[in-house]
Amino acid sequence: MEELDSLLRAVAATGASMLIKVDGERTDGVNPKIFTVVISGVGDEAGPIRLDGADLGRTVQRAVEAFDTRQ
């Protein structure tokens, strides 16, 4: 949880915004991608970053990594 907190604070420090959505309609199946992470704002000329995943921490991490490549 501490690592997740650090990732969220790192995004906030850039002035960007992050939205985390939990979708209860996507809980079935082998790999239910119930979490959606969207990062927008600073450096999003190419559009916001949006990723879906089954693991919240990993999905946030992947979104932040994608965001970092734009900075």
Side-chain angles (χ1 to χ4, degrees), residues 1-10:
M1 193 59 121
E2 193 172 309
E3 182 179 340
L4 183 58
D5 184 66
S6 295
L7 287 171
L8 298 175
R9 290 181 186 279

Side-chain angles (χ1 to χ4, degrees), residues 20-66:
I20 298 173
K21 174 186 157 196
V22 179
D23 190 338
E25 295 294 317
R26 294 189 287 176
T27 58
D28 294 332
V30 176
N31 187 18
K33 294 182 177 180
I34 65 171
F35 300 109
T36 300
V37 176
V38 179
I39 302 177
S40 64
V42 177
D44 71 352
E45 291 79 21
I49 294 166
R50 180 186 188 276
L51 292 170
D52 298 316
D55 178 89
L56 177 60
R58 181 69 185 128
T59 305
V60 169
Q61 182 178 15
R62 287 179 35 233
V64 170
E65 288 169 357

Side-chain angles (χ1 to χ4, degrees), residues 8 10-18 39-43 67 71:
L8 298 175
V11 171
T14 69
S17 298
M18 179 186 289
I39 302 177
S40 64
V42 177
F67 177 74
Q71 299 299 302

